[in-house]
Each structure stands twice: as structure tokens, then as C-alpha cells.
Amino acid sequence: MCRACVSHLITNALNFGLQAATPSRRQFMAYGAGAAALTMAASRAAFAADSGADTIFRNGTILPMAGPHHAVEAIAVGGGGKILAVGSDAEIAGLKTSATKIVDLQGRTLLPGFVDPHHHTCGAALFAELLTDVGYTKYPTRAALTEALRAMAAKTPPGQWIIGCNFDNLLQGGDFSMTELDAISTDHPIFIWYVNMHDAAANAAAFRLAKIPDDVGVLPGGGHFGRGPDGKFNGLVYEEPAMLKFVMLAVPPITPQLVGKALVDYTRQVAAAGNTTLHEPGTIMPEWVESLAKLSNSLSIRMSASLMADAIEASKAFAALGVGARATHFPNSRFSLYGIKIVGDGSNQTETGAQTRPYLKSASKGATNFSAAEFKQMCAAAKAVGWPIQIHCNGDATIDDALNAIEAVYGAHSSHGVNRIEHSTMARPDQIARMKALGVQPSFLMNHVFLYGAAYRDQLFGPERAAFMDPAAACVHEGVPFTLHTDAPCSPVGPLRLIQAAVTRRCEIDKSIVGHAQAISVAHALKATTIDAARQIGLGDTIGSLEKGKEGDLVILESDPFKVDPDTIMAIKVSETWVGGAKMFG
């Protein structure tokens, strides 16, 4: 359910204002030397800071998420933003000076800051700034949405585009058709972006302006257009190459100032939800990296990212900073790179995820975006530079191809870092076992269960297959590390919602429990959103748990997730969020 190559959509369609020339290898050799010096200086500062704490947190439940589940009494953070000590009140008291700030938790619960390992930060920020949200939370019925679009058309000058985002075909009445959109307006080109980011719908005016020929076939990269029984366009648009034909016309240019504002505003919102680190999976361009690294210090979170497979050659410029099992850090910033991303298939919600068995009420099995040989070629190119791989797989057929490619290229337990299967929505039991054998880790979009569990059961896969969707408990049983992510803006921001969904397996739409056997404990869900998520983006040695020498990234909750009704975990109030020892929210 991730967005296919949104980096191209933003760059080509939005004239992204942060672009700079791709840095040369010589420039990054200089950056590498600077990074080494910065690391040495930071080590000296941390050693000197042992003489006293900048901030001490105490008088609450403190869960370090390091080793077995246990609570400690206090934590001290130094002036450089790193954790000085975690332990008893008596142990931490020795670090108090006259300048130390004492944060009285007053019984609240303190945890490592939440890490979202698959979150389209740039795209979500710009969508919120530029596009009109027509999603389920605003318009839960088709009638309400249609009325809103008609009102929008009445206020928009003829000929100008109407662009909506976050439309949910499963929860808002099914796919839009060209006929339906034409009934809303023939004077305006209309483009409605689905929340899964792989699909869209457009009216006839939009097709004319985009100059889509009647005899068009499948575009390079898998883009294609839906057709009705009569062979004519039905308004549906699938995958990035096809959507680009419309987006490049529909979305206006933006300025660097707007980009900066959008990211600053958006990261404030995600910090308020308890996030301290977001990983942008493949949806940035190499030429943005330098500017994003500079901008990162103005954001309320740490920003991690991977590059797309078509940027492997350009990624070589960053190798001087270090490529491999640990993230590539950019000096004097909160920005890092980790891995190469491949979008293997589409979305199960629109039956474009590639399955080995047909969808429930269809003869279709979906299709992968690449051949088996192409998967292996991209993996080999990434490995040659030193990157691990992240492969988007919603269907089990795609997971087969992805694991085949990883085994053929990286072998088992790669020294290049964590190879990931993104989403792994319909992974089979044998595939989880194979991931264990290869040292591959899945990341689950647990909001699939929260929002679409009933639809997966009743409309897409049937009860048996849906019961094993997002199989977190199978990973616990096999001893396979896994993570939970939002894929925002493809699902709502908020780690506590992910934790609740993983623990209860309750679908919000009809309150039913989907796949009770795949429910996991609160402890496992917290690991999947803290330390294990940090490890999946190469930052396990710096964030994800509260340990001496790590960054002072933490979240304070009003209630303890272990002590509330599991069905109310997402209602826990986030009290404060801290990044590098500095309060970002609260």
C-alpha cells in the first residue's frame, strides 16, 4: 500500500524546490571526513558530559525497551542530547547539578520515541499543503463525497483542475468511474488519487488534456488504464507511469519556501503523535538529499530515507559517508540514508497486488511490476554499491519473487544490513519461515487490519486467507524480527493505533476481530515500533531504546500501554516528545 515512486511525481510534477545538483564523489569524501570529525567530537562531548546531566526524568514508569521488559526509576540526558545513564533514583541522583532540569513524570509512562520505518514524509507534507483531502475520515459516504466534489466544481473556474487525494475505494463506495466523474463536471478535468497511491480515477476531460490515445497499452514500468466491457476507458488509472500523465498537468509548481513550511508543519503533527524518527522509503531523489539534510535540523523528528532502484548509480556519490549495515549519516544533521527500494506490485485493495491464488470474487491474481530476472538485476545493482534492499510486496506471489531475488543475490543473513519485505500483507506461513532462514525481515502496515480487515475477509480474500494477513504472531513464533508502519499518507499517522491493531486485531469498520491467532502482546508491538524499527533502518545503535550513549529520543504517555484496555491504546494521550534531549512537543 505504499506510493510508487512518488519521488518522480513530486520532482516532475511539482518542480520540487529543494533540488540541488547531485553532489560529486569528492564533495562526499569531504562530508565523510567531516562526519568522522563530528563523531570524535561527539564522543568527547559525551564523555565530558558524564560529570552532570542536562535533564533528569523521574517519578513515573520508564520502559527502556532494552532487553527483557522491565521498568527503571530514572533517566539522565546530557547537554549533547545523549543518554548519560538509566537506572535507579539513587544512581541517577549523582548526575544532578545546580543546572540540571528535573522532569517530574507524575506517574506518566516514558518510552523510547516511536520509529515509523515506512512513512512518506515529503509526500504526506506536500499533499497536506497542496491537495484536497476527499478521504474516508472527511466523507464516510459516497453521497457526501459526491456532493462535496460538486460544490468544489461550482466554486472552481471552468477549465481548472479538481484534484482530490486519499479516496478510499473500499470504504467510500467502490471505484469511481469516468461516467460518474463526468456527471460531476465536464467543464473541469478531475483527478482523484486513491489513498493506496497506486491508483486513481479521472474524467473524460482529464483524459483529453493528458492526451491518452485510445489504443494505448501498458506503459514502461507497469502503468496502464482501465477499460470497460466495450474496450473503452472507464476512468481508472493504475501505477505511477500512467498517473504521471495527469499529475504533471494538474499539480501547480511550488516554491522552496512552501516545501520547507510543509515539512516543518507536518513533522510537528507526527511528533505530537509520539514519533521521533520517520523513514521515507524510496520516495526522495538523490538531488534532494543535501537540502533535506540541511532542513532536517529544523524538523521535529529525525529523518531517514532510502532511494529508489532507478537511483542506484547516483547513490554511489554517498558511499564515502559509509554504506552497509549501519545507516549512512550526514554530518551536522538529523538525516540518514539506508537501503534501496523496489516497488514490486500494487495494492490489494484494488486487486493489483500479485497473488498466487485469485482474489475472492475475481479471476484476477494481480501482477508484479517486474519480472523475476529484473528483481534480481536490481538487487545485484544495490548490493554492488553496498546497500540492503527493501521490496514492496502486498501479494504472496510478489513475496516469492522478492525472496528468490534476495537469496540469489545476497544469500542468507547478509552483511550489507537488513533486507526487508515492505508490507508483507499476504505472506504465507512458509514465507515467514523462509524469511527466518534468510535473515529477511517484514514490516507490516497494521492499519490494513484496523481499516480493511472486514473488507479483506468479505470482499477480497475470504475468512481463511484474511485471518493470516499481516501475520505478526507467526513472526513471533518463528523468531523473526518485524516492524509496524503507517505508510502515511496511505493510512493515518499514529504509532499507538498500530500497536492497538496488532494487539487486538479489531477492525474499526465493523468492530470484528480478523485473525485472532495473529494477535501479539503489547511488549512485542512496542518492540516493533521502537528498537526493532530502529534496527530496520540501520539506527539500532543510536536510537530505539533508552541506553547509555544513545540519543535522548523519547516519548511520554499519559497512561501505560500495558495497563489500559487494549481497545483503548490508541486513545492514550501523548504528553511530550523529545528528540536529542530537546522537547519537540508538549
Side-chain angles (χ1 to χ4, degrees):
M1 193 172 163
C2 92
R3 186 170 22 205
C5 297
V6 170
S7 54
H8 290 295
L9 301 183
I10 296 172
T11 298
N12 295 332
L14 305 186
N15 299 318
F16 188 62
L18 290 181
Q19 287 183 17
T22 302
S24 68
R25 199 165 296 187
R26 178 174 294 180
Q27 285 175 296
F28 272 90
M29 288 295 289
Y31 283 149
L38 185 70
T39 301
M40 291 176 64
S43 298
R44 290 195 296 269
F47 179 80
D50 282 347
S51 60
D54 186 65
T55 310
I56 291 175
F57 301 84
R58 61 172 305 278
N59 192 29
T61 299
I62 300 176
L63 304 175
M65 299 306 298
H69 169 63
H70 69 282
V72 298
E73 293 181 326
I75 177 172
V77 178
K82 294 188 183 297
I83 297 171
L84 299 182
V86 179
S88 68
D89 273 329
E91 291 170 324
I92 303 301
L95 294 171
K96 182 180 180 296
T97 71
S98 59
T100 299
K101 177 182 179 181
I102 305 297
V103 176
D104 186 348
L105 295 174
Q106 298 179 320
R108 295 174 294 173
T109 297
L110 186 151
L111 292 155
F114 292 114
V115 179
D116 191 334
H118 190 121
H119 188 123
H120 299 284
T121 314
C122 292
L126 288 169
F127 274 38
E129 192 75 28
L130 292 171
L131 305 183
T132 301
D133 182 1
V134 298
Y136 172 75
T137 56
K138 285 192 70 174
Y139 306 109
T141 68
R142 185 59 149 259
L145 173 55
T146 301
E147 182 180 348
L149 289 172
R150 286 201 177 101
M152 211 181 302
K155 296 176 183 177
T156 303
Q160 291 189 11
W161 285 80
I162 294 172
I163 315 167
C165 64
N166 298 333
F167 171 69
D168 197 313
N169 64 305
L170 283 185
L171 303 183
Q172 291 177 281
D175 290 321
F176 263 123
S177 68
M178 183 181 289
T179 301
E180 190 175 4
L181 293 176
D182 284 346
I184 291 170
S185 178
T186 56
D187 294 330
H188 305 84
I190 301 176
F191 185 78
I192 304 296
W193 223 328
Y194 283 32
V195 69
N196 64 47
M197 302 310 301
H198 288 266
D199 312 296
N203 67 353
F207 268 75
R208 285 195 299 271
L209 284 175
K211 298 180 180 178
I212 309 300
D214 290 338
D215 60 351
V216 66
V218 178
L219 303 177
H224 57 288
F225 305 91
R227 296 180 185 273
D230 59 1
K232 296 181 179 180
F233 293 130
N234 62 9
L236 295 179
V237 184
Y238 298 102
E239 298 297 340
E240 176 209 351
M243 292 193 291
L244 269 175
K245 302 289 186 182
F246 301 86
V247 175
M248 291 178 70
L249 299 172
V251 182
I254 60 176
T255 65
Q257 292 76 17
L258 187 143
V259 173
K261 177 182 180 299
L263 283 169
V264 168
D265 290 348
Y266 182 73
T267 58
R268 283 198 191 111
Q269 296 175 32
V270 293
N275 290 112
T276 54
T277 299
L278 306 179
H279 178 79
E280 176 104 34
T283 45
I284 68 166
M285 297 289 283
E287 55 265 34
W288 305 359
V289 165
E290 186 176 6
S291 294
L292 286 173
K294 292 175 181 176
L295 181 63
S296 66
N297 290 328
S298 301
L299 305 181
S300 299
I301 49 89
R302 293 186 195 280
M303 187 173 182
S304 167
S306 50
L307 298 172
M308 288 300 294
D310 61 4
I312 291 173
E313 184 64 30
S315 78
K316 294 177 181 178
F318 309 120
L321 288 176
V323 177
R326 297 178 63 186
T328 301
H329 288 272
F330 287 74
N332 303 309
S333 80
R334 291 185 182 140
F335 183 84
S336 59
L337 286 176
Y338 192 73
I340 294 294
K341 169 83 176 295
I342 300 171
V343 181
D345 61 3
S347 164
N348 295 326
Q349 287 86 272
T350 52
E351 301 188 10
T352 53
Q355 316 294 340
T356 55
R357 296 161 57 188
Y359 286 89
L360 182 62
K361 300 175 182 178
S362 169
S364 171
K365 296 181 181 180
T368 59
N369 291 334
F370 304 100
S371 67
E374 288 171 325
F375 277 117
K376 291 178 183 178
Q377 290 167 2
M378 289 184 284
C379 286
K383 182 186 177 185
V385 182
W387 300 109
I389 204 74
Q390 302 161 4
I391 308 180
H392 159 118
C393 303
N394 270 314
D396 68 321
T398 320
I399 297 174
D400 280 335
D401 283 354
L403 293 177
N404 288 341
I406 290 171
E407 183 172 19
V409 173
Y410 290 92
H413 302 279
S414 171
S415 62
H416 291 74
V418 178
N419 290 320
R420 285 167 46 179
I421 304 298
E422 306 298 296
H423 313 319
S424 297
T425 316
M426 301 307 296
R428 305 185 306 265
D430 64 292
Q431 291 174 328
I432 299 298
R434 191 177 177 195
M435 289 182 200
K436 179 180 181 179
L438 293 175
V440 172
Q441 297 182 17
S443 185
F444 298 119
L445 202 180
M446 199 54 66
N447 282 338
H448 276 143
V449 176
F450 184 81
L451 291 171
Y452 305 119
Y456 270 51
R457 179 192 63 221
D458 301 335
Q459 300 177 45
L460 295 173
F461 294 106
E464 180 184 354
R465 291 164 75 186
F468 203 75
M469 65 184 291
D470 298 299
C475 292
V476 172
H477 177 75
E478 290 283 354
V480 176
F482 63 94
T483 62
L484 308 178
H485 65 265
T486 63
D487 199 14
C490 299
S491 85
V493 168
L496 292 171
R497 180 186 286 102
L498 301 178
I499 293 166
Q500 176 176 310
V503 171
T504 67
R505 301 285 296 194
R506 191 179 301 281
C507 176
E508 175 69 10
I509 303 306
D510 69 350
K511 309 304 180 185
S512 64
I513 293 176
V514 180
H516 180 269
Q518 291 308 311
I520 59 175
S521 69
V522 171
H524 283 119
L526 286 173
K527 279 190 64 180
T529 49
T530 55
I531 184 58
D532 285 346
R535 290 169 178 153
Q536 277 198 356
I537 58 175
L539 295 176
D541 58 343
T542 58
I543 63 169
S545 60
L546 305 178
E547 300 177 79
K548 182 178 179 178
K550 286 194 171 185
E551 298 286 351
D553 293 7
L554 53 92
V555 61
I556 302 173
L557 304 179
E558 293 289 328
S559 303
D560 185 341
F562 286 95
K563 296 180 179 178
V564 301
D565 181 336
D567 280 311
T568 66
I569 289 174
M570 65 180 285
I572 294 174
K573 181 181 178 182
V574 175
S575 180
E576 298 178 20
T577 305
W578 295 62
V579 175
K583 187 191 293 188
M584 295 296 169
F585 168 75

